[in-house]
Amino acid sequence: MSETTTVAVPQRARWAVTAYFVSTGAALGTWTARIPAIKQDLGLDDGQVTLALFAVAAGSVLAMQAVGHLADRFGSARVLGPTGLAMAASLLLPGFAGSLPALLVGLLVFGAGHGTVDVAMNTHSMQVQRSYGRPIVSTFHAMFSVGGLLGAGVGALAAHASIGVGAHFAFVAAALAAALLLARRELLPPEVRAPSGSSPRQRGISPGILCLGVLAFFCSVGEGSMADWSPLYLHDVLETSPAIAAVGYAVFSAMMAVFRFLGDFLVARLGPVLLVRCCGAIAGTGLGTALLLRHPVAAIIGFALFGIGLSCIIPQVFNAAGNRDPNRSGRDLAQVSTLGYGGLLAGPVVIGLISSWTDLSVGLAVPAALALLVALSAPAVRPR
């Protein structure tokens, strides 16, 4: 009887953490899908929309700095319960915002909720993986992508049916809150911590975590660049139709999601260092070769290879950060996540500046080169 219970608890906890990853992705996809409607309803220009996007990122980064300490002190499960409900409820603020200031405040709160859940669920996923004794983290990240697709899909249906943003966000918030209320009951209890005197107290960011954060930054530069610049490269540089231009990012996203589902199998066979080295090489050479060929078919294949390459790197970076020191996994993951968000923000801007001085092909060569640097830096993800 006790053996059955021991096996069942980690399994239920795995499904509970999966619910958090799906819900977090769905919340972000919900907001993203209705940006055009919110822009039209509030009469915003492109600059004001950019400010709104920055508010989400700023709220996430600021919250990450606090939630890591809370997860380490009280346990990630205790943090996930209230913050998951807060994230779901925070969708109501931008949904019913009637002005730009109200929207910015609402998105700042929404970003904070998203950031806290992001760090806490990644921290708890490390605990669940330790209870399993085998790699399962990559699948969690794949389910985040699935959640984003679900949120965007429901948002597209809501927009097609002319459902108001407020009503749509309220429905999603209620559905996410109900799912997370059920999931929080199955989370694992806090792990027994080593005595505080058993390891030296460390302030700031350690060199090892900084290195992992830089790898997350490099990968996030590539991911953000694909979202913003791959359609423009196909349309403006290679002169494809708008429909073909949209295929590039769709293929990139699909390949990233599919190969994240395969990531746990691959890391069990190859080990994290060889997997990251191979993935970085595939991403860098695939995208770089496509840029040199300057043909639409080559570009789409290159974007697909870039998605395959990036798919398994971030999960292994997070896995290495979360398991480096279980006593401070929340803080370490928060620092790595913050640098990753920095890449998402800075990458498209830097590539835009380079492209304005030279050519978009040269700008997109930057994430290809960074992927090759990740391949060379693969030993950073080796387990301690």
Side-chain angles (χ1 to χ4, degrees):
M1 184 68 177
S2 59
E3 182 180 352
T4 303
T5 303
T6 303
V7 173
V9 169
Q11 288 175 342
R12 294 198 299 267
R14 182 178 183 177
W15 285 109
V17 175
T18 298
Y20 277 91
F21 273 84
V22 172
S23 297
T24 307
L28 192 61
T30 297
W31 146 247
T32 303
R34 300 311 300 267
I35 290 176
I38 293 174
K39 179 182 179 182
Q40 181 179 356
D41 292 346
L42 299 183
L44 306 179
D45 57 31
D46 290 341
Q48 291 170 325
V49 171
T50 302
L51 189 60
L53 295 174
F54 180 78
V56 177
S60 296
V61 169
L62 291 173
M64 284 176 178
Q65 305 314 303
V67 72
H69 291 273
L70 294 175
D72 290 337
R73 181 174 181 181
F74 300 107
S76 53
R78 292 174 181 168
V79 175
L80 268 177
T83 57
L85 297 179
M87 179 196 67
S90 67
L91 268 174
L92 299 174
L93 298 178
F96 289 97
S99 63
L100 177 60
L103 178 66
L104 294 179
V105 172
L107 290 176
L108 192 69
V109 175
F110 172 69
H114 188 275
T116 54
V117 176
D118 187 282
V119 172
M121 71 184 184
N122 274 289
T123 304
H124 202 74
S125 72
M126 299 297 114
Q127 182 180 347
V128 174
Q129 180 174 254
R130 284 191 288 270
S131 72
Y132 262 72
R134 60 182 173 86
I136 58 173
V137 167
S138 186
T139 303
F140 290 138
H141 287 261
M143 294 307 296
F144 177 88
S145 300
V146 171
L149 292 173
L150 287 174
V154 172
L157 292 175
H160 180 72
S162 300
I163 298 174
V165 174
H168 171 210
F169 280 22
F171 170 79
V172 173
L176 295 182
L180 296 180
L181 273 174
L182 295 174
R184 66 181 294 187
R185 302 174 182 174
E186 305 298 339
L187 298 174
L188 296 177
E191 292 177 304
V192 177
R193 300 295 183 186
S196 58
S198 64
S199 60
R201 296 185 65 181
Q202 181 179 317
R203 295 182 179 180
I205 184 169
S206 68
I209 293 300
L210 178 60
C211 182
L212 292 171
V214 170
L215 296 186
F217 180 90
F218 286 172
C219 292
S220 298
V221 166
E223 189 172 348
S225 302
M226 289 297 102
D228 290 347
W229 291 109
S230 62
L232 292 176
Y233 175 75
L234 284 166
H235 185 265
D236 296 347
V237 177
L238 302 184
E239 299 180 346
T240 66
S241 66
I244 296 297
V247 171
Y249 182 64
V251 168
F252 166 81
S253 300
M255 290 299 99
M256 177 174 279
V258 168
F259 275 82
R260 277 186 171 171
F261 280 112
L262 298 175
D264 294 328
F265 170 82
L266 294 174
V267 73
R269 298 298 184 276
L270 303 177
V273 175
L274 182 57
L275 177 60
V276 169
R277 183 174 286 126
C278 292
C279 284
I282 290 171
T285 56
L287 180 59
T289 303
L291 294 173
L292 290 174
L293 294 176
R294 297 179 72 90
H295 188 277
V297 174
I300 292 173
I301 294 174
F303 294 150
L305 291 173
F306 196 63
I308 291 171
L310 289 190
S311 63
C312 296
I313 298 177
I314 284 290
Q316 296 314 310
V317 169
F318 275 48
N319 186 54
N323 287 308
R324 189 175 182 85
D325 182 356
N327 284 334
R328 52 171 292 133
S329 60
R331 282 165 285 180
D332 289 342
L333 282 168
Q335 292 167 339
V336 172
S337 297
T338 299
L339 288 170
Y341 265 82
L344 285 174
L345 293 174
V349 176
V350 170
I351 289 173
L353 290 174
I354 294 174
S355 301
S356 66
W357 297 331
T358 56
D359 179 74
L360 185 53
S361 299
V362 178
L364 285 176
V366 171
L370 293 180
L372 294 176
L373 287 177
V374 171
L376 294 175
S377 306
V381 303
R382 179 177 286 115
R384 296 185 65 179

PDB file of all heavy atoms in Angstrom, residues 343-377:
ATOM      1  N   GLY A 343      16.824  38.935 -22.814  1.00  0.00           N
ATOM      2  CA  GLY A 343      17.059  38.563 -24.201  1.00  0.00           C
ATOM      3  C   GLY A 343      15.835  38.740 -25.075  1.00  0.00           C
ATOM      4  O   GLY A 343      15.931  39.183 -26.229  1.00  0.00           O
ATOM      5  N   LEU A 344      14.665  38.393 -24.535  1.00  0.00           N
ATOM      6  CA  LEU A 344      13.428  38.583 -25.294  1.00  0.00           C
ATOM      7  C   LEU A 344      13.182  40.050 -25.618  1.00  0.00           C
ATOM      8  O   LEU A 344      12.678  40.400 -26.687  1.00  0.00           O
ATOM      9  CB  LEU A 344      12.240  38.024 -24.503  1.00  0.00           C
ATOM     10  CG  LEU A 344      12.089  36.505 -24.449  1.00  0.00           C
ATOM     11  CD1 LEU A 344      10.960  36.117 -23.512  1.00  0.00           C
ATOM     12  CD2 LEU A 344      11.834  35.929 -25.844  1.00  0.00           C
ATOM     13  N   LEU A 345      13.530  40.926 -24.671  1.00  0.00           N
ATOM     14  CA  LEU A 345      13.314  42.357 -24.874  1.00  0.00           C
ATOM     15  C   LEU A 345      14.376  42.970 -25.780  1.00  0.00           C
ATOM     16  O   LEU A 345      14.064  43.754 -26.683  1.00  0.00           O
ATOM     17  CB  LEU A 345      13.310  43.081 -23.524  1.00  0.00           C
ATOM     18  CG  LEU A 345      12.158  42.766 -22.572  1.00  0.00           C
ATOM     19  CD1 LEU A 345      12.385  43.441 -21.229  1.00  0.00           C
ATOM     20  CD2 LEU A 345      10.833  43.218 -23.165  1.00  0.00           C
ATOM     21  N   ALA A 346      15.640  42.631 -25.521  1.00  0.00           N
ATOM     22  CA  ALA A 346      16.735  43.298 -26.216  1.00  0.00           C
ATOM     23  C   ALA A 346      16.975  42.732 -27.611  1.00  0.00           C
ATOM     24  O   ALA A 346      17.366  43.479 -28.519  1.00  0.00           O
ATOM     25  CB  ALA A 346      18.018  43.176 -25.396  1.00  0.00           C
ATOM     26  N   GLY A 347      16.748  41.429 -27.791  1.00  0.00           N
ATOM     27  CA  GLY A 347      17.074  40.794 -29.057  1.00  0.00           C
ATOM     28  C   GLY A 347      16.443  41.448 -30.275  1.00  0.00           C
ATOM     29  O   GLY A 347      17.159  41.869 -31.199  1.00  0.00           O
ATOM     30  N   PRO A 348      15.112  41.568 -30.327  1.00  0.00           N
ATOM     31  CA  PRO A 348      14.500  42.178 -31.502  1.00  0.00           C
ATOM     32  C   PRO A 348      14.959  43.611 -31.747  1.00  0.00           C
ATOM     33  O   PRO A 348      15.098  44.034 -32.894  1.00  0.00           O
ATOM     34  CB  PRO A 348      12.992  42.124 -31.166  1.00  0.00           C
ATOM     35  CG  PRO A 348      12.876  40.984 -30.213  1.00  0.00           C
ATOM     36  CD  PRO A 348      14.115  41.021 -29.391  1.00  0.00           C
ATOM     37  N   VAL A 349      15.216  44.350 -30.665  1.00  0.00           N
ATOM     38  CA  VAL A 349      15.667  45.740 -30.816  1.00  0.00           C
ATOM     39  C   VAL A 349      17.057  45.788 -31.439  1.00  0.00           C
ATOM     40  O   VAL A 349      17.320  46.554 -32.381  1.00  0.00           O
ATOM     41  CB  VAL A 349      15.669  46.454 -29.452  1.00  0.00           C
ATOM     42  CG1 VAL A 349      16.234  47.858 -29.581  1.00  0.00           C
ATOM     43  CG2 VAL A 349      14.251  46.511 -28.884  1.00  0.00           C
ATOM     44  N   VAL A 350      17.959  44.956 -30.914  1.00  0.00           N
ATOM     45  CA  VAL A 350      19.333  44.934 -31.435  1.00  0.00           C
ATOM     46  C   VAL A 350      19.352  44.508 -32.900  1.00  0.00           C
ATOM     47  O   VAL A 350      20.051  45.107 -33.738  1.00  0.00           O
ATOM     48  CB  VAL A 350      20.204  43.987 -30.591  1.00  0.00           C
ATOM     49  CG1 VAL A 350      21.563  43.766 -31.249  1.00  0.00           C
ATOM     50  CG2 VAL A 350      20.384  44.551 -29.181  1.00  0.00           C
ATOM     51  N   ILE A 351      18.559  43.492 -33.223  1.00  0.00           N
ATOM     52  CA  ILE A 351      18.519  43.030 -34.612  1.00  0.00           C
ATOM     53  C   ILE A 351      17.923  44.101 -35.513  1.00  0.00           C
ATOM     54  O   ILE A 351      18.379  44.311 -36.645  1.00  0.00           O
ATOM     55  CB  ILE A 351      17.735  41.717 -34.700  1.00  0.00           C
ATOM     56  CG1 ILE A 351      18.563  40.601 -34.072  1.00  0.00           C
ATOM     57  CG2 ILE A 351      17.394  41.365 -36.146  1.00  0.00           C
ATOM     58  CD1 ILE A 351      17.855  39.305 -33.939  1.00  0.00           C
ATOM     59  N   GLY A 352      16.943  44.841 -35.010  1.00  0.00           N
ATOM     60  CA  GLY A 352      16.386  45.939 -35.787  1.00  0.00           C
ATOM     61  C   GLY A 352      17.408  47.031 -36.054  1.00  0.00           C
ATOM     62  O   GLY A 352      17.474  47.574 -37.170  1.00  0.00           O
ATOM     63  N   LEU A 353      18.229  47.356 -35.054  1.00  0.00           N
ATOM     64  CA  LEU A 353      19.263  48.377 -35.244  1.00  0.00           C
ATOM     65  C   LEU A 353      20.307  47.916 -36.255  1.00  0.00           C
ATOM     66  O   LEU A 353      20.706  48.675 -37.152  1.00  0.00           O
ATOM     67  CB  LEU A 353      19.929  48.685 -33.903  1.00  0.00           C
ATOM     68  CG  LEU A 353      19.070  49.432 -32.875  1.00  0.00           C
ATOM     69  CD1 LEU A 353      19.803  49.547 -31.537  1.00  0.00           C
ATOM     70  CD2 LEU A 353      18.698  50.823 -33.393  1.00  0.00           C
ATOM     71  N   ILE A 354      20.758  46.662 -36.118  1.00  0.00           N
ATOM     72  CA  ILE A 354      21.749  46.134 -37.058  1.00  0.00           C
ATOM     73  C   ILE A 354      21.179  46.123 -38.478  1.00  0.00           C
ATOM     74  O   ILE A 354      21.865  46.482 -39.450  1.00  0.00           O
ATOM     75  CB  ILE A 354      22.191  44.720 -36.638  1.00  0.00           C
ATOM     76  CG1 ILE A 354      22.956  44.776 -35.309  1.00  0.00           C
ATOM     77  CG2 ILE A 354      23.058  44.083 -37.714  1.00  0.00           C
ATOM     78  CD1 ILE A 354      23.308  43.419 -34.741  1.00  0.00           C
ATOM     79  N   SER A 355      19.921  45.740 -38.606  1.00  0.00           N
ATOM     80  CA  SER A 355      19.299  45.669 -39.922  1.00  0.00           C
ATOM     81  C   SER A 355      19.154  47.046 -40.546  1.00  0.00           C
ATOM     82  O   SER A 355      19.251  47.199 -41.771  1.00  0.00           O
ATOM     83  CB  SER A 355      17.925  45.003 -39.809  1.00  0.00           C
ATOM     84  OG  SER A 355      18.046  43.703 -39.266  1.00  0.00           O
ATOM     85  N   SER A 356      18.923  48.061 -39.712  1.00  0.00           N
ATOM     86  CA  SER A 356      18.791  49.419 -40.243  1.00  0.00           C
ATOM     87  C   SER A 356      20.128  49.944 -40.760  1.00  0.00           C
ATOM     88  O   SER A 356      20.166  50.799 -41.649  1.00  0.00           O
ATOM     89  CB  SER A 356      18.245  50.353 -39.168  1.00  0.00           C
ATOM     90  OG  SER A 356      19.167  50.503 -38.098  1.00  0.00           O
ATOM     91  N   TRP A 357      21.232  49.440 -40.196  1.00  0.00           N
ATOM     92  CA  TRP A 357      22.552  49.859 -40.649  1.00  0.00           C
ATOM     93  C   TRP A 357      23.034  49.034 -41.830  1.00  0.00           C
ATOM     94  O   TRP A 357      23.767  49.534 -42.684  1.00  0.00           O
ATOM     95  CB  TRP A 357      23.570  49.730 -39.512  1.00  0.00           C
ATOM     96  CG  TRP A 357      23.288  50.605 -38.333  1.00  0.00           C
ATOM     97  CD1 TRP A 357      22.649  51.815 -38.331  1.00  0.00           C
ATOM     98  CD2 TRP A 357      23.613  50.332 -36.962  1.00  0.00           C
ATOM     99  NE1 TRP A 357      22.559  52.308 -37.057  1.00  0.00           N
ATOM    100  CE2 TRP A 357      23.142  51.437 -36.189  1.00  0.00           C
ATOM    101  CE3 TRP A 357      24.259  49.287 -36.308  1.00  0.00           C
ATOM    102  CZ2 TRP A 357      23.294  51.507 -34.814  1.00  0.00           C
ATOM    103  CZ3 TRP A 357      24.417  49.357 -34.938  1.00  0.00           C
ATOM    104  CH2 TRP A 357      23.938  50.456 -34.205  1.00  0.00           C
ATOM    105  N   THR A 358      22.651  47.760 -41.881  1.00  0.00           N
ATOM    106  CA  THR A 358      23.145  46.869 -42.934  1.00  0.00           C
ATOM    107  C   THR A 358      21.976  46.235 -43.680  1.00  0.00           C
ATOM    108  O   THR A 358      21.429  46.832 -44.597  1.00  0.00           O
ATOM    109  CB  THR A 358      24.052  45.782 -42.333  1.00  0.00           C
ATOM    110  OG1 THR A 358      23.333  45.085 -41.308  1.00  0.00           O
ATOM    111  CG2 THR A 358      25.317  46.382 -41.740  1.00  0.00           C
ATOM    112  N   ASP A 359      21.619  45.029 -43.264  1.00  0.00           N
ATOM    113  CA  ASP A 359      20.575  44.260 -43.940  1.00  0.00           C
ATOM    114  C   ASP A 359      19.980  43.296 -42.919  1.00  0.00           C
ATOM    115  O   ASP A 359      20.655  42.880 -41.980  1.00  0.00           O
ATOM    116  CB  ASP A 359      21.167  43.490 -45.121  1.00  0.00           C
ATOM    117  CG  ASP A 359      20.125  42.655 -45.846  1.00  0.00           C
ATOM    118  OD1 ASP A 359      19.304  43.230 -46.575  1.00  0.00           O
ATOM    119  OD2 ASP A 359      20.137  41.423 -45.652  1.00  0.00           O
ATOM    120  N   LEU A 360      18.709  42.936 -43.115  1.00  0.00           N
ATOM    121  CA  LEU A 360      18.050  42.038 -42.165  1.00  0.00           C
ATOM    122  C   LEU A 360      18.728  40.675 -42.132  1.00  0.00           C
ATOM    123  O   LEU A 360      18.725  40.001 -41.096  1.00  0.00           O
ATOM    124  CB  LEU A 360      16.568  41.896 -42.523  1.00  0.00           C
ATOM    125  CG  LEU A 360      15.703  41.086 -41.563  1.00  0.00           C
ATOM    126  CD1 LEU A 360      15.847  41.584 -40.126  1.00  0.00           C
ATOM    127  CD2 LEU A 360      14.227  41.127 -41.988  1.00  0.00           C
ATOM    128  N   SER A 361      19.319  40.256 -43.228  1.00  0.00           N
ATOM    129  CA  SER A 361      20.055  38.987 -43.225  1.00  0.00           C
ATOM    130  C   SER A 361      21.211  39.038 -42.240  1.00  0.00           C
ATOM    131  O   SER A 361      21.493  38.055 -41.535  1.00  0.00           O
ATOM    132  CB  SER A 361      20.580  38.678 -44.628  1.00  0.00           C
ATOM    133  OG  SER A 361      19.518  38.544 -45.544  1.00  0.00           O
ATOM    134  N   VAL A 362      21.887  40.171 -42.186  1.00  0.00           N
ATOM    135  CA  VAL A 362      22.990  40.327 -41.240  1.00  0.00           C
ATOM    136  C   VAL A 362      22.455  40.347 -39.817  1.00  0.00           C
ATOM    137  O   VAL A 362      23.027  39.754 -38.898  1.00  0.00           O
ATOM    138  CB  VAL A 362      23.782  41.614 -41.541  1.00  0.00           C
ATOM    139  CG1 VAL A 362      24.900  41.814 -40.517  1.00  0.00           C
ATOM    140  CG2 VAL A 362      24.355  41.577 -42.947  1.00  0.00           C
ATOM    141  N   GLY A 363      21.318  41.030 -39.620  1.00  0.00           N
ATOM    142  CA  GLY A 363      20.720  41.077 -38.285  1.00  0.00           C
ATOM    143  C   GLY A 363      20.338  39.698 -37.776  1.00  0.00           C
ATOM    144  O   GLY A 363      20.605  39.352 -36.613  1.00  0.00           O
ATOM    145  N   LEU A 364      19.746  38.872 -38.644  1.00  0.00           N
ATOM    146  CA  LEU A 364      19.329  37.530 -38.222  1.00  0.00           C
ATOM    147  C   LEU A 364      20.515  36.576 -38.082  1.00  0.00           C
ATOM    148  O   LEU A 364      20.361  35.489 -37.515  1.00  0.00           O
ATOM    149  CB  LEU A 364      18.318  36.962 -39.220  1.00  0.00           C
ATOM    150  CG  LEU A 364      16.914  37.557 -39.144  1.00  0.00           C
ATOM    151  CD1 LEU A 364      16.028  36.989 -40.247  1.00  0.00           C
ATOM    152  CD2 LEU A 364      16.288  37.315 -37.785  1.00  0.00           C
ATOM    153  N   ALA A 365      21.677  36.976 -38.597  1.00  0.00           N
ATOM    154  CA  ALA A 365      22.870  36.165 -38.373  1.00  0.00           C
ATOM    155  C   ALA A 365      23.317  36.219 -36.912  1.00  0.00           C
ATOM    156  O   ALA A 365      24.045  35.329 -36.459  1.00  0.00           O
ATOM    157  CB  ALA A 365      24.003  36.633 -39.282  1.00  0.00           C
ATOM    158  N   VAL A 366      22.875  37.244 -36.178  1.00  0.00           N
ATOM    159  CA  VAL A 366      23.251  37.367 -34.761  1.00  0.00           C
ATOM    160  C   VAL A 366      22.726  36.188 -33.946  1.00  0.00           C
ATOM    161  O   VAL A 366      23.499  35.533 -33.232  1.00  0.00           O
ATOM    162  CB  VAL A 366      22.766  38.715 -34.192  1.00  0.00           C
ATOM    163  CG1 VAL A 366      22.965  38.755 -32.680  1.00  0.00           C
ATOM    164  CG2 VAL A 366      23.514  39.858 -34.850  1.00  0.00           C
ATOM    165  N   PRO A 367      21.415  35.863 -33.970  1.00  0.00           N
ATOM    166  CA  PRO A 367      20.964  34.691 -33.201  1.00  0.00           C
ATOM    167  C   PRO A 367      21.590  33.387 -33.678  1.00  0.00           C
ATOM    168  O   PRO A 367      21.781  32.464 -32.873  1.00  0.00           O
ATOM    169  CB  PRO A 367      19.441  34.683 -33.394  1.00  0.00           C
ATOM    170  CG  PRO A 367      19.174  35.562 -34.552  1.00  0.00           C
ATOM    171  CD  PRO A 367      20.273  36.583 -34.564  1.00  0.00           C
ATOM    172  N   ALA A 368      21.936  33.290 -34.973  1.00  0.00           N
ATOM    173  CA  ALA A 368      22.623  32.086 -35.451  1.00  0.00           C
ATOM    174  C   ALA A 368      24.000  31.969 -34.801  1.00  0.00           C
ATOM    175  O   ALA A 368      24.400  30.885 -34.343  1.00  0.00           O
ATOM    176  CB  ALA A 368      22.749  32.124 -36.972  1.00  0.00           C
ATOM    177  N   ALA A 369      24.720  33.093 -34.729  1.00  0.00           N
ATOM    178  CA  ALA A 369      26.036  33.080 -34.092  1.00  0.00           C
ATOM    179  C   ALA A 369      25.925  32.799 -32.600  1.00  0.00           C
ATOM    180  O   ALA A 369      26.749  32.071 -32.028  1.00  0.00           O
ATOM    181  CB  ALA A 369      26.732  34.420 -34.335  1.00  0.00           C
ATOM    182  N   LEU A 370      24.914  33.357 -31.949  1.00  0.00           N
ATOM    183  CA  LEU A 370      24.733  33.116 -30.513  1.00  0.00           C
ATOM    184  C   LEU A 370      24.426  31.645 -30.246  1.00  0.00           C
ATOM    185  O   LEU A 370      24.848  31.088 -29.226  1.00  0.00           O
ATOM    186  CB  LEU A 370      23.608  34.005 -29.976  1.00  0.00           C
ATOM    187  CG  LEU A 370      23.882  35.509 -29.981  1.00  0.00           C
ATOM    188  CD1 LEU A 370      22.687  36.269 -29.427  1.00  0.00           C
ATOM    189  CD2 LEU A 370      25.139  35.844 -29.186  1.00  0.00           C
ATOM    190  N   ALA A 371      23.676  31.003 -31.148  1.00  0.00           N
ATOM    191  CA  ALA A 371      23.386  29.576 -30.978  1.00  0.00           C
ATOM    192  C   ALA A 371      24.668  28.753 -31.037  1.00  0.00           C
ATOM    193  O   ALA A 371      24.834  27.785 -30.286  1.00  0.00           O
ATOM    194  CB  ALA A 371      22.400  29.112 -32.049  1.00  0.00           C
ATOM    195  N   LEU A 372      25.583  29.130 -31.915  1.00  0.00           N
ATOM    196  CA  LEU A 372      26.862  28.428 -31.978  1.00  0.00           C
ATOM    197  C   LEU A 372      27.681  28.651 -30.707  1.00  0.00           C
ATOM    198  O   LEU A 372      28.379  27.743 -30.239  1.00  0.00           O
ATOM    199  CB  LEU A 372      27.651  28.880 -33.204  1.00  0.00           C
ATOM    200  CG  LEU A 372      27.024  28.512 -34.563  1.00  0.00           C
ATOM    201  CD1 LEU A 372      27.844  29.092 -35.700  1.00  0.00           C
ATOM    202  CD2 LEU A 372      26.895  26.997 -34.713  1.00  0.00           C
ATOM    203  N   LEU A 373      27.590  29.850 -30.129  1.00  0.00           N
ATOM    204  CA  LEU A 373      28.251  30.100 -28.856  1.00  0.00           C
ATOM    205  C   LEU A 373      27.659  29.236 -27.747  1.00  0.00           C
ATOM    206  O   LEU A 373      28.374  28.766 -26.868  1.00  0.00           O
ATOM    207  CB  LEU A 373      28.145  31.584 -28.488  1.00  0.00           C
ATOM    208  CG  LEU A 373      29.015  32.546 -29.284  1.00  0.00           C
ATOM    209  CD1 LEU A 373      28.738  33.986 -28.860  1.00  0.00           C
ATOM    210  CD2 LEU A 373      30.491  32.216 -29.093  1.00  0.00           C
ATOM    211  N   VAL A 374      26.336  29.029 -27.791  1.00  0.00           N
ATOM    212  CA  VAL A 374      25.688  28.139 -26.818  1.00  0.00           C
ATOM    213  C   VAL A 374      26.248  26.726 -26.959  1.00  0.00           C
ATOM    214  O   VAL A 374      26.526  26.047 -25.963  1.00  0.00           O
ATOM    215  CB  VAL A 374      24.166  28.150 -27.000  1.00  0.00           C
ATOM    216  CG1 VAL A 374      23.504  27.062 -26.156  1.00  0.00           C
ATOM    217  CG2 VAL A 374      23.591  29.509 -26.618  1.00  0.00           C
ATOM    218  N   ALA A 375      26.428  26.275 -28.196  1.00  0.00           N
ATOM    219  CA  ALA A 375      26.980  24.929 -28.419  1.00  0.00           C
ATOM    220  C   ALA A 375      28.371  24.811 -27.806  1.00  0.00           C
ATOM    221  O   ALA A 375      28.702  23.789 -27.189  1.00  0.00           O
ATOM    222  CB  ALA A 375      27.023  24.633 -29.919  1.00  0.00           C
ATOM    223  N   LEU A 376      29.182  25.847 -27.961  1.00  0.00           N
ATOM    224  CA  LEU A 376      30.530  25.817 -27.397  1.00  0.00           C
ATOM    225  C   LEU A 376      30.505  25.873 -25.866  1.00  0.00           C
ATOM    226  O   LEU A 376      31.431  25.393 -25.213  1.00  0.00           O
ATOM    227  CB  LEU A 376      31.348  26.992 -27.942  1.00  0.00           C
ATOM    228  CG  LEU A 376      31.656  26.957 -29.448  1.00  0.00           C
ATOM    229  CD1 LEU A 376      32.352  28.241 -29.869  1.00  0.00           C
ATOM    230  CD2 LEU A 376      32.510  25.747 -29.800  1.00  0.00           C
ATOM    231  N   SER A 377      29.440  26.476 -25.308  1.00  0.00           N
ATOM    232  CA  SER A 377      29.336  26.640 -23.852  1.00  0.00           C
ATOM    233  C   SER A 377      28.525  25.540 -23.187  1.00  0.00           C
ATOM    234  O   SER A 377      28.163  25.658 -22.019  1.00  0.00           O
ATOM    235  CB  SER A 377      28.700  28.004 -23.536  1.00  0.00           C
ATOM    236  OG  SER A 377      29.394  29.056 -24.167  1.00  0.00           O
TER     237      SER A 377
END
